[in-house]
Amino acid sequence: MTNEIIEDSGIVKEVRNNSVVVEIERGGGCKSCSMHGFCMKNVTSEFQIQTDLPLEPGDKVQLDISAVGRVWASLLIFGLPLAMLFIGFLVANIWLSELTSILLGFACMGLGFVIVRCLDSCFAKKLNIRIARKI
């Protein structure tokens, strides 16, 4: 896998010392993603990014986001709950009836979504995002 960079744009919301808080506008990279229909539309994401550029609140900036980071995030978001569904069903099916195993499989999938939510709060700030330029 190449270390391709996907570009998005965002608006500077706040300036702090050598970093800025940027609100990402969904669009550029999302349009090229085959899973764009599954994501929540009109939901913004804010990131604190280190930069030396002279920026002020309201400035529009071009962001470079690592494609590798996007792939890992997609695998985590879609893969973990699905894996938990199957593992929960298969393990429960050894000792319990089929209907109970199905219900436990879906409960495990729900737990997978909770785990993804917790991991998101821990690892979201570790995405490789940098400000390329002011637009």
Side-chain angles (χ1 to χ4, degrees):
M1 179 179 286
T2 62
N3 200 11
E4 176 185 342
I5 300 292
I6 298 174
E7 297 175 350
D8 276 313
S9 62
I11 297 175
V12 175
K13 291 294 181 185
E14 186 179 336
V15 178
R16 304 176 187 158
N17 299 333
N18 289 340
S19 67
V20 293
V21 175
V22 177
E23 182 178 88
I24 294 180
E25 300 171 348
R26 304 282 171 129
C30 294
K31 288 178 185 172
S32 65
C33 176
S34 61
M35 302 302 288
H36 73 275
F38 289 101
C39 292
M40 294 168 42
K41 294 182 170 91
N42 300 325
V43 176
T44 58
S45 300
E46 289 186 357
F47 292 94
Q48 186 170 347
I49 304 170
Q50 299 290 329
T51 184
D52 294 330
L53 295 172
L55 298 172
E56 295 184 18
D59 287 346
K60 192 167 183 176
V61 293
Q62 178 181 337
L63 303 169
D64 291 339
I65 304 172
S66 170
V68 174
R70 286 183 189 232
V71 169
W72 281 111
S74 296
L75 285 174
L76 178 70
I77 291 168
F78 295 110
L80 182 66
L82 189 61
M84 296 278 292
L85 169 71
F86 287 116
I87 291 169
F89 172 77
L90 292 174
V91 170
N93 199 32
I94 295 171
W95 295 288
L96 303 170
S97 69
E98 187 173 350
L99 179 61
T100 307
S101 298
I102 292 170
L103 294 174
L104 281 174
F106 281 109
C108 287
M109 183 175 73
L111 177 63
F113 284 117
V114 171
I115 292 170
V116 167
R117 180 79 171 176
C118 292
L119 290 175
D120 178 48
S121 63
C122 295
F123 293 109
K125 293 174 178 46
K126 294 183 181 182
L127 275 175
N128 186 15
I129 300 175
R130 67 179 189 85
I131 297 176
R133 65 184 173 91
K134 181 178 174 180
I135 299 177

